[in-house]
Amino acid sequence: TILEYIALKEEELQAKKGGEIAITTWYKYNRTIRYFREFMKEKKGIKNIPVSKIDAVFIQHFLSYLKKEKKNSHNSATALLGCFSNILQQALKHKVIKYNPFVDVELSRKPVNREYLEEDEIERLQNLKDLNPELKTKRDIFLFAIYTGLAYGDFPMLNKTHIRQNSDGT
């Protein structure tokens, strides 16, 4: 059943969490699994099904659920479906299913017009005064991410060994 393969993936992810996979990847899989269980309960009225019953139509319904019910953007929904596809890979590998249902599902990304901060906006943020300690820390983390390019989701793994001083003192 699909829940058996989900359990296998959860075990694998737990073993790799924070080491072989990024913590953000672990969270993305957990979100996918949680949404899938909710989809099964709310939309299908069941808890579990054989993996052989998962076809392109089923996947399209799940994609629609991710977008409409869970308010994910197209790109976020396809990323979550990528996790779900990966869960099904074990069933394909063990020949429990002979056909990959994702072959008939297009998981394309749409270009995103990302807004960015102007230099004067960053300076204003940097110069904010009278922030409570929590907001000051969040502001400083955000500024650190701006200047280093480090993703916010990678901050929990950052430690002192990752920060070095160049020979010129910077």
Side-chain angles (χ1 to χ4, degrees), residues 122 124-147 152 155:
I122 295 170
R124 283 192 310 221
L125 183 61
Q126 205 165 346
N127 295 327
L128 283 175
K129 304 286 185 228
D130 300 323
L131 296 174
N132 68 41
E134 184 181 348
L135 280 179
K136 184 179 181 318
T137 300
K138 287 179 181 179
R139 187 256 338 250
D140 292 346
I141 289 171
F142 183 71
L143 289 169
F144 186 81
I146 288 171
Y147 289 122
Y152 182 80
F155 272 92

Side-chain angles (χ1 to χ4, degrees), residues 8-161:
L8 288 172
K9 183 51 93 173
E10 286 175 317
E11 286 176 29
E12 175 190 333
L13 293 169
Q14 190 62 36
K16 293 179 178 181
K17 183 174 135 184
E20 293 178 52
I21 63 166
I23 194 76
T24 52
T25 301
W26 186 79
Y27 282 121
K28 186 167 62 171
Y29 272 94
N30 276 335
R31 199 167 117 214
T32 302
I33 291 166
R34 185 179 76 246
Y35 286 168
F36 180 77
R37 286 183 171 134
E38 291 170 6
F39 166 74
M40 292 290 289
K41 183 180 177 185
E42 294 171 19
K43 297 297 177 187
K44 300 293 181 185
I46 55 177
K47 288 186 179 182
N48 202 359
I49 60 170
V51 288
S52 60
K53 298 284 185 192
I54 295 174
D55 58 11
V57 172
F58 182 95
I59 294 167
Q60 289 293 346
H61 288 160
F62 186 37
L63 176 62
S64 178
Y65 176 81
L66 291 172
K67 289 178 176 182
K68 292 178 183 170
E69 306 291 324
K70 293 302 179 183
K71 309 290 187 223
N72 284 282
S73 69
H74 174 79
N75 290 347
S76 293
T78 57
L80 295 173
L81 273 184
C83 292
F84 187 66
S85 173
N86 191 274
I87 291 168
L88 288 179
Q89 289 303 311
Q90 286 297 329
L92 281 165
K93 183 179 172 184
H94 294 117
K95 297 183 179 15
V96 172
I97 54 176
K98 293 176 176 69
Y99 181 75
N100 183 350
F102 278 89
V103 168
D104 299 325
V105 178
E106 187 179 337
L107 296 180
S108 64
R109 300 277 184 154
K110 292 182 180 176
V112 177
N113 183 18
R114 298 190 188 271
E115 297 292 324
Y116 58 92
L117 295 175
E118 300 287 341
E119 279 188 50
D120 67 310
E121 293 172 312
I122 295 170
E123 283 180 34
R124 283 192 310 221
L125 183 61
Q126 205 165 346
N127 295 327
L128 283 175
K129 304 286 185 228
D130 300 323
L131 296 174
N132 68 41
E134 184 181 348
L135 280 179
K136 184 179 181 318
T137 300
K138 287 179 181 179
R139 187 256 338 250
D140 292 346
I141 289 171
F142 183 71
L143 289 169
F144 186 81
I146 288 171
Y147 289 122
T148 63
L150 185 66
Y152 182 80
D154 291 333
F155 272 92
M157 293 180 291
L158 182 67
N159 63 52
K160 290 179 184 179
T161 64

